[in-house]
Amino acid sequence: MPHETPLISTIVAGFVLAFVLGAIANRFKLPPLVGYLVAGVLVGPHTPGYVADQKLAPELAEIGVILLMFGVGLHFSLKDLLSVRGVAVPGAVAQMTFATLLGWALGVGLGWSHGGGLVFGLALSVASTVVLLKALQERRLVESERGRIAVGWLIVEDLAMVLALVLIPAVSNIASGDGAAAAVYGDPFAALLARGFGVELNIWGIIGLTLAKVAAFVALMLIVGRRVIPWVLHRIAHTGSRELFRLGVLAIALGVAFGAAKLFGVSLALGAFFAGMILSESELSHSAAQESLPLRDAFSVLFFVSVGMLFDPAILVRDPLPVLATFAIIVVGKSIAAFLIVIAFRRTTGTALTISASLAQIGEFSFILAELGVGLNLLPEEGRDLILAGALMSIVFNPIMFMLMDRLKPRLEGRIGRASPKPAVAAAAKPAAKEAPKPAAVEAEPA
């Protein structure tokens, strides 16, 4: 029997260290994810001792992202998503633009190229799926209005990143005068057109192709998936086998996510979300959510471990001022922008503060963009290190952001005058509340 088992050793080291350090963090009244991140640093290549497999850990973490987004989709409906499009779409675009400009300015100030600054800014503009959803789930906000806005905002960011991951290589190669390379490197369909039919797409052709593929995926899920996915799960449920039902749920989540990524160029997380959203229309959605919950929690831990593995603590001493500037853009710049945008759309102060705190971190897409930028010689390695440092620090600081927002809420409500939405309606509803009282969390949530 072979003794080289990188997969087993990576899983064991990740789970055991995450459990031990997570328990220690919890003992000192810190979020357990702080312990998970420290566990990643300890098994990473930048600290002495055992080094986990750096290729396997992110792939295992991606499973957690897929299952987490699938679970969120199970609690969502298309109606919920469309109900917040008026805030989520323009809000996400405006906030990402502002954060990208701040990152670009910092990159140019550090002597990087404009392309490197742009990649750096984009990496700082997009929030982590896992961190945002974990924060909302811990506070039971996923199904609230503010939770729907945050998730809708996240979906728009994911779509923007799908487009950016295709366009950045294309723009980079076109700028260097290599149009064919842009088609081949940027998109497999564009490569097929270039090699098989001699058609070389320009930048607008690649944008159109990417948007067409995303639209085709959404249409397929709404037209075909809406019928097929619930039907398949119902057939499995009728067998009476809980084991087979659990396996079917996982097969749908992972299979749709993987197929969406390979065939349509959609991110794994986005594909899983749509699979869950389609399944949410079935009466089996609650059972599917319960069956996938243990694996969702387990693999999301590996996400934080994989983030810690990428972090080099030496950068805190080597480049303290750029690290602080990066951290300020993520936590302060993005939060202020999100707060002002939500308030501008006449939402409550509580909603604006929740969105601000939720988005004050970066994660998986940021790492992908950083690696892409370095691979294309747009972003220097220093930029990748700053992105990783900013990610780790912002993820650790995120629970504190929610605490700060809770303390700021009474003061800001008094100044802005949005203490509670529709006070007249709330007052009129008091007599009915005596007959059928609602939970406090529901009463406090804006309509």
Side-chain angles (χ1 to χ4, degrees), residues 33-93:
L33 68 85
V34 175
Y36 307 156
L37 291 166
V38 175
V41 174
L42 293 180
V43 299
H46 305 292
T47 52
Y50 170 76
V51 177
D53 193 301
Q54 290 181 278
K55 292 183 179 179
L56 285 174
E59 291 186 12
L60 291 171
E62 194 69 54
I63 297 176
V65 176
I66 292 171
L67 295 176
L68 195 63
M69 284 300 286
F70 178 72
V72 171
L74 286 171
H75 294 90
F76 254 71
S77 67
L78 186 61
K79 183 179 178 181
D80 291 334
L81 198 57
L82 292 176
S83 69
V84 298
R85 69 186 185 279
V87 180
V89 175
V93 172

Side-chain angles (χ1 to χ4, degrees), residues 287-305:
S287 299
Q290 290 297 112
E291 293 297 335
S292 60
L293 182 61
L295 279 176
R296 271 188 275 156
D297 289 341
F299 279 97
S300 65
V301 169
L302 290 179
F303 166 78
F304 295 107
V305 174

Side-chain angles (χ1 to χ4, degrees), residues 295-320:
L295 279 176
R296 271 188 275 156
D297 289 341
F299 279 97
S300 65
V301 169
L302 290 179
F303 166 78
F304 295 107
V305 174
S306 68
V307 173
M309 288 175 59
L310 297 170
F311 180 62
D312 182 6
I315 194 175
L316 299 176
V317 178
R318 189 172 64 244
D319 297 310

Side-chain angles (χ1 to χ4, degrees), residues 327-389:
F327 178 73
I329 290 173
I330 299 169
V331 174
V332 180
K334 287 175 63 178
S335 295
I336 293 176
F339 179 83
L340 294 177
I341 290 167
V342 176
I343 290 295
F345 280 94
R346 304 184 64 81
R347 301 289 174 162
T348 64
T349 303
T351 298
L353 290 173
T354 299
I355 303 299
S356 300
S358 300
L359 299 170
Q361 36 77 22
I362 59 175
E364 53 273 14
F365 267 120
S366 304
F367 310 144
I368 297 172
L369 276 173
E371 290 297 331
L372 179 63
V374 172
L376 293 172
N377 295 320
L378 289 173
L379 184 70
E381 292 191 7
E382 176 192 2
R384 178 176 57 189
D385 293 339
L386 289 176
I387 290 170
L388 294 173

Side-chain angles (χ1 to χ4, degrees), residues 61-424:
E62 194 69 54
I63 297 176
V65 176
I66 292 171
L67 295 176
L68 195 63
M69 284 300 286
F70 178 72
V72 171
L74 286 171
H75 294 90
F76 254 71
S77 67
L78 186 61
K79 183 179 178 181
D80 291 334
L81 198 57
L82 292 176
S83 69
V84 298
R85 69 186 185 279
V87 180
V89 175
V93 172
Q95 179 256 308
M96 290 183 70
T97 301
F98 181 73
T100 300
L101 289 175
L102 290 179
W104 168 81
L106 176 59
V108 172
L110 292 173
W112 305 344
S113 66
H114 289 289
L118 181 62
V119 173
F120 184 69
L122 280 171
L124 301 187
S125 70
V126 57
S128 164
T129 300
V130 176
V131 178
L132 187 149
L133 294 178
K134 277 285 186 183
L136 294 178
Q137 287 176 345
E138 287 175 0
R139 292 160 182 81
R140 298 181 180 180
L141 294 174
V142 173
E143 298 181 52
S144 66
E145 185 200 31
R146 64 187 70 178
R148 290 195 297 271
I149 294 174
V151 173
W153 201 299
L154 183 71
I155 296 303
V156 176
E157 289 188 348
D158 278 1
L159 287 171
M161 287 301 105
V162 169
L163 190 61
L165 290 173
V166 174
L167 293 183
I168 289 174
V171 172
S172 173
N173 286 305
I174 288 174
S176 65
D178 190 0
V184 173
Y185 192 94
D187 188 277
F189 286 92
L192 178 63
L193 290 174
R195 292 172 179 170
F197 301 96
V199 178
E200 293 183 7
L201 297 179
N202 58 19
I203 186 65
W204 298 110
I206 294 175
I207 292 175
L209 180 62
T210 302
L211 293 176
K213 288 194 300 179
V214 172
F217 167 71
V218 174
L220 181 67
M221 292 301 294
L222 293 179
I223 297 172
V224 180
R226 214 171 194 171
R227 294 180 173 87
V228 174
I229 292 177
W231 179 82
V232 169
L233 207 60
H234 273 278
R235 298 291 293 179
I236 296 172
H238 286 157
T239 64
S241 171
R242 184 176 180 181
E243 178 183 344
L244 195 59
F245 181 80
R246 186 183 298 118
L247 184 60
V249 171
L250 295 176
I252 289 172
L254 299 174
V256 172
F258 187 77
K262 290 299 181 182
L263 298 178
F264 298 97
V266 176
S267 69
L268 292 167
L270 195 63
F273 173 80
F274 270 95
M277 191 174 68
I278 295 301
L279 190 56
S280 69
E281 299 180 8
S282 166
E283 60 267 23
L284 294 173
S285 60
H286 180 71
S287 299
Q290 290 297 112
E291 293 297 335
S292 60
L293 182 61
L295 279 176
R296 271 188 275 156
D297 289 341
F299 279 97
S300 65
V301 169
L302 290 179
F303 166 78
F304 295 107
V305 174
S306 68
V307 173
M309 288 175 59
L310 297 170
F311 180 62
D312 182 6
I315 194 175
L316 299 176
V317 178
R318 189 172 64 244
D319 297 310
L321 293 180
V323 168
L324 287 176
T326 302
F327 178 73
I329 290 173
I330 299 169
V331 174
V332 180
K334 287 175 63 178
S335 295
I336 293 176
F339 179 83
L340 294 177
I341 290 167
V342 176
I343 290 295
F345 280 94
R346 304 184 64 81
R347 301 289 174 162
T348 64
T349 303
T351 298
L353 290 173
T354 299
I355 303 299
S356 300
S358 300
L359 299 170
Q361 36 77 22
I362 59 175
E364 53 273 14
F365 267 120
S366 304
F367 310 144
I368 297 172
L369 276 173
E371 290 297 331
L372 179 63
V374 172
L376 293 172
N377 295 320
L378 289 173
L379 184 70
E381 292 191 7
E382 176 192 2
R384 178 176 57 189
D385 293 339
L386 289 176
I387 290 170
L388 294 173
L392 186 71
M393 294 169 64
S394 64
I395 289 173
V396 171
F397 191 74
N398 198 243
I400 301 175
M401 275 292 291
F402 276 94
M403 294 172 57
L404 292 175
M405 294 300 179
D406 288 340
R407 293 190 176 185
L408 284 173
K409 183 179 177 181
R411 298 179 184 178
L412 291 176
E413 282 178 339
R415 292 186 179 183
I416 299 175
R418 297 179 184 274
S420 61
K422 304 177 182 178

